[in-house]
Amino acid sequence: MTIDRAGGQTTVHLSGPWTAPHAQRVEALIGEIEAEADSFPVLFDLSGVERLDTLGAWTLDRTRHELSAKGQADFANASPEQKILLEEAAYRDFEGKPKPRHARSVDFLVDVGQSVAGAGKDLVGGVGFLGELISGMVRVVIHPRRFRGIAVINQLEQIAYRGVPIIVLISFLVGCIVSQQGIFQLIKFGATPFVIDLIGILVLRELGVLLTSIMVAGRSGSAFTAEIGSMKMREEIDALRVMGLDPIEVLIVPRILALIIGLPLLTFIASIAALVGGGLTTWVYGGISPDIFLDRLRAAVSLNTFLVGLIKAPFMAVVIGIIATLEGMAVAGSAESLGRHVTSSVVKAIFMVIVLDGLFAMFFAAINF
């Protein structure tokens, strides 16, 4: 490489092979060119270049591009082959498109609108899926041979039997905590015995079914979504359709029937565990013996208080089952999609359980039940 300066122009005469085996030397020469190119325009004379490959062409074009930012730079005396290679291996500086600026208030409204539209689509999809589920159950009733009793029993084992320990433990602890806090607050007014009324009504009407539904949504609902989503990814659901089987009858009806049967049973067990925890706490902290606790509980709690929690349970089971299976059927062919839908299933199910509990609370208050 030689550099000539004449008439306010810098001419760089290149010679020899500008190829990958000489990459270190090529980079060193390029550094010299950039350091000594102090007058513009710069002209690269390629007449002496013996060989040129993509590395040399890209490096030269990159240097021309960088020098052009300071002044004019171009190639001269390039052969037709060299021109083609320089054009194909041209250095390109990709710039991202500038992001449009929006006001934060506008972005917030857009997010709210998208969330509302998504919630509406989920509601419509859930109603449509409920119709498919009801039609599947009707077909099973009309054709009893299509009922899969073994699958229902297996799901009952997974949902109810194996879920008893964790639900009993959590309900017991929550009953203890509510009782303890109630005693600490009511003792200031000399009304410690009323904590029994508080525990009985709160657990049987609200806490028992609510805690059980949340636990089932997190435990069994996520399992439903993961199982059906994995089958969807492996195209096993499509295989069922090819075999002439309805996935609604084979996969979804047994799971939701098991939920409808198992959730009331778990609610009853959870309520008993919470009452036991509350009774032990009132005995330890409030000095109320178990006999007095049971007598006052019998007087404070009526049959409708007990029935309210059990009436809610099947409806919450249907909501949990529909959301879990619907999210499982929506899984695409990637692990990321599976994880996203499992998370969405748990969040939506817990949210809808709380909303449904609030609606039932208003309904029972309106009919004075």
Side-chain angles (χ1 to χ4, degrees), residues 52 71 80 86 91 100 103 135 138 149 191 216 221 228 292 312 329 342 364:
L52 184 69
L86 287 168
Y91 176 82
S135 63
V138 170
V216 169
I228 296 176
I292 298 175
K312 296 178 185 178
M329 297 292 286
V342 169
F364 287 129

Side-chain angles (χ1 to χ4, degrees), residues 3 8-12 33 36-45 63-64 67-68 71-76:
I3 299 178
Q9 175 178 299
T10 300
T11 303
V12 181
I33 294 172
E36 298 186 18
D38 52 0
S39 59
F40 292 89
V42 177
L43 198 63
F44 292 92
D45 184 7
T63 306
R64 180 191 65 81
L67 293 176
S68 296
Q72 186 177 359
D74 205 351
F75 298 114

Side-chain angles (χ1 to χ4, degrees), residues 95-260:
E95 297 181 358
K97 294 183 179 180
K99 295 183 178 180
R101 295 182 178 180
H102 299 294
R104 292 185 178 180
S105 58
V106 175
D107 291 339
F108 174 74
L109 293 175
V110 170
D111 293 339
V112 171
Q114 290 177 346
S115 301
V116 172
K121 291 180 181 178
D122 290 341
L123 180 61
V124 172
V127 173
F129 192 76
L130 177 61
E132 295 183 12
L133 176 64
I134 293 175
S135 63
M137 289 184 174
V138 170
R139 289 194 298 270
V140 170
V141 172
I142 296 175
H143 305 284
R145 293 184 178 180
R146 301 169 74 168
F147 177 69
R148 300 178 177 272
I150 297 177
V152 174
I153 294 173
N154 177 63
Q155 292 300 325
L156 268 175
E157 178 187 359
Q158 300 297 327
I159 296 168
Y161 180 72
R162 296 185 183 275
V164 167
I166 184 65
I167 290 176
V168 167
L169 176 61
I170 291 179
S171 300
F172 178 82
L173 294 176
V174 170
C176 293
I177 294 170
V178 172
S179 177
Q180 182 196 44
Q181 294 301 314
I183 290 173
F184 287 168
Q185 299 302 319
L186 293 175
I187 199 172
K188 301 175 184 178
F189 307 98
T192 304
F194 285 101
V195 74
I196 302 174
D197 301 59
L198 172 66
I199 295 171
I201 296 173
L202 184 62
V203 166
L204 293 178
R205 290 184 70 98
E206 301 294 338
L207 277 186
V209 65
L210 192 59
L211 285 174
T212 304
S213 299
I214 291 174
M215 288 299 300
V216 169
R219 183 179 176 275
S220 301
S222 60
F224 288 176
T225 305
E227 291 168 1
I228 296 176
S230 298
M231 296 180 69
K232 185 77 179 297
M233 291 171 59
R234 294 195 295 263
E235 299 182 354
E236 295 179 16
I237 294 178
D238 295 333
L240 287 175
R241 292 192 177 98
V242 171
M243 294 167 62
L245 299 175
D246 186 4
I248 301 293
E249 297 179 11
V250 175
L251 301 175
I252 297 174
V253 170
R255 285 173 165 82
I256 293 184
L257 284 178
L259 273 177
I260 294 174

Side-chain angles (χ1 to χ4, degrees), residues 310-334:
L310 293 183
I311 292 172
K312 296 178 185 178
F315 294 94
M316 292 185 176
V318 172
V319 169
I320 294 170
I322 288 176
I323 292 175
T325 52
L326 187 60
E327 290 292 332
M329 297 292 286
V331 172
S334 66

Side-chain angles (χ1 to χ4, degrees), residues 175 178-179 192-205 268 270-280 282 288-306:
V178 172
S179 177
T192 304
F194 285 101
V195 74
I196 302 174
D197 301 59
L198 172 66
I199 295 171
I201 296 173
L202 184 62
V203 166
L204 293 178
R205 290 184 70 98
F268 175 77
S271 300
I272 297 300
L275 291 176
V276 170
L280 290 176
T282 55
I288 301 175
S289 66
D291 294 338
I292 298 175
F293 180 87
L294 291 175
D295 289 339
R296 188 169 183 89
L297 182 65
R298 189 181 303 111
V301 174
S302 59
L303 180 61
N304 64 336
T305 305
F306 173 73

